[in-house]
């Protein structure tokens, strides 16, 4: 009897202890949940919402508590994880030292690491347990600055050559004042270098003007037939000097929207480039046609052609396939760069087809303006002008 009573008391005590332990466990669990709630300092969320920069807030174990849409767009955050170890290293140092850090980093963009993004990152403690990362996209600014510095360096180098040559030739002429034949020879060389220097300065001025042009605001309907005719006319003298015929074939029925002077400059440079590299007593063909809402202009020469591995770079500033030949022809290395820049400003594209020994065809495509049919200006384009491809443009331009 006593044993049964003791057993009952022990069971009752164990039951009461179990209930008490359960309630204590529930209370501790609720307290842990409440402590774990991410609570930002008062006003922090409002400030971050208007700051205009990508931001990420991480906790004591670098878990993402909050991040802006821009942070995800930049590829800094994926899910609740900071992607880049460089950023995690910064947060670790700030958490340890309590000192604000600022760095400019070049980071892979996207999960496959294709492409990079340059960001100015500022990392600072926020509250007692959070770290704030502010990121500003500096990719375009940094690359533009690098291009500008590279352009200045290239211009300095390109100007140095003709200026130095003119100076040296002037000294030589002065020393050979009694030798009439030598004076004439060196004066002719000086004149050639002066022409080259003038062309280079003119192209640099032209390129600077193009970069400041706003085609969207200043544009108007442009008749490319008239533009091509003027570009051909401006190249008649250098063509005649090499006994080169410029043959124009086809016609465009619809205008394009843009700046007539800029388009003329681009097409003049394209034809000038063909004349420079075409052999004497040959033809340069200019073909015009419409295709699927695009005005297509092809310029074909019978020059030495361009190797396939060089074709990707010929539109770069100051790039020359054959530097020695460019000096001989008087090229500045800016002509095709100007062409590409102008055509891109007008929403078009320029491409090249070339084979060594078979000449080259440069093709410009620009969107035509849509016009009402009742104005009688948007009629069907003749089938003979709707051909496409490099071979068609070569045949149309050369044999027209």
């Amino acid at each position: 009897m006593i044993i049964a009573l003791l057993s009952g008391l022990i069971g009752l005590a164990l039951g009461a202890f179990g209930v008490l332990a359960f309630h204590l466990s529930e209370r501790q669990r609720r307290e842990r949940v409440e402590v774990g709630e991410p609570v930002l300092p008062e006003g922090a969320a409002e400030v971050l919402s208007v700051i205009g920069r990508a931001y990420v807030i991480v906790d004591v174990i670098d878990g993402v508590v909050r991040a802006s849409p821009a942070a995800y767009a930049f590829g800094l955050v994926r899910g609740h994880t900071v992607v880049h170890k460089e950023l995690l290293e910064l947060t670790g140092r700030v958490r340890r030292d309590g000192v604000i850090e600022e760095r400019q980093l070049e980071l892979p963009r996207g999960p496959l690491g294709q492409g990079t993004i340059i960001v100015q990152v500022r990392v600072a403690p926020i509250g007692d347990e959070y770290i704030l990362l502010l990121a500003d996209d500096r990719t375009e600014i940094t690359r533009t600055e690098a291009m500008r510095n590279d352009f200045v360096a290239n211009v300095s180098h390109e100007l140095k050559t003709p200026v130095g040559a003119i100076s040296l030739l002037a000294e030589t002429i002065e020393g050979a004042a009694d030798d009439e034949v030598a004076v004439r020879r060196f004066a002719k060389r000086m004149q050639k270098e002066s022409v080259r220097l003038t062309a280079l300065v003119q192209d640099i001025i032209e390129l600077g003007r193009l970069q400041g042009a706003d085609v969207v605001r200043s544009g108007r309907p442009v008749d490319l037939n008239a533009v091509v005719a003027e570009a051909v006319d401006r190249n008649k003298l250098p063509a005649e000097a090499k006994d080169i015929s410029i043959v124009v074939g086809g016609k465009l029925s619809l205008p394009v929207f843009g700046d007539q002077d800029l388009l003329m400059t681009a097409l003049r440079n394209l034809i000038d480039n063909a004349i420079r590299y075409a052999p004497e007593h040959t033809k340069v063909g200019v073909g015009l046609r419409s295709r699927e809402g695009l005005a297509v202009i092809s310029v074909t020469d019978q020059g030495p052609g361009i190797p396939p591995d060089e074709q990707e770079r010929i539109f770069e500033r100051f790039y020359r396939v054959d530097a020695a030949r460019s000096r001989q022809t008087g090229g500045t290395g800016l002509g095709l760069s100007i062409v590409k820049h102008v055509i891109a400003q007008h929403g078009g594209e320029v491409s090249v087809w070339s084979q060594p020994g078979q000449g080259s065809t440069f093709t410009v495509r620009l969107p035509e303006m849509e016009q009402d049919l009742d104005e009688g200006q948007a009629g069907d384009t003749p089938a003979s002008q709707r051909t496409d491809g490099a071979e068609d443009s070569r045949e149309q331009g050369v044999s027209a």
Side-chain angles (χ1 to χ4, degrees), residues 351-377:
S351 59
V352 61
W353 177 94
S354 185
Q355 288 289 338
Q358 299 184 35
S360 304
T361 295
F362 288 84
T363 302
V364 169
R365 296 177 178 85
L366 291 165
E368 294 178 322
M369 290 183 64
E370 296 182 2
Q371 296 189 5
D372 295 333
L373 292 176
D374 58 3
E375 293 178 1
Q377 298 179 2

Side-chain angles (χ1 to χ4, degrees), residues 250-254 287-296 368 373 377-389 392-393 396:
K251 187 177 180 181
L252 298 169
S253 56
L254 295 178
L288 296 86
R289 63 196 184 282
S290 295
R291 182 177 176 84
E292 298 177 353
L294 296 176
V296 183
E368 294 178 322
L373 292 176
Q377 298 179 2
D380 294 335
T381 304
S384 62
Q385 296 181 29
R386 293 184 179 272
T387 58
D388 195 19
D392 294 333
S393 64
Q396 182 185 25

Side-chain angles (χ1 to χ4, degrees), residues 8 38 81 85 99 106 125 152 165 167-168 171 185-186 202 212 220 225 238 257 303 315 324 338 371 395:
T81 305
K85 64 177 183 180
V99 178
E106 184 172 358
V152 170
S167 176
L168 182 61
E171 293 179 6
R185 184 172 71 253
F186 291 131
Q202 184 61 41
R220 57 184 178 84
N225 299 291
F257 182 82
F315 295 100
I338 291 174
Q371 296 189 5
E395 182 178 354

Side-chain angles (χ1 to χ4, degrees), residues 9 43 48 89 108 144 172 213 230 237 247 270-271 289 380 384:
L9 290 173
L48 290 173
E89 290 172 357
T144 301
T172 305
E230 184 178 356
L237 287 179
V247 183
L270 209 53
I271 297 171
R289 63 196 184 282
D380 294 335
S384 62

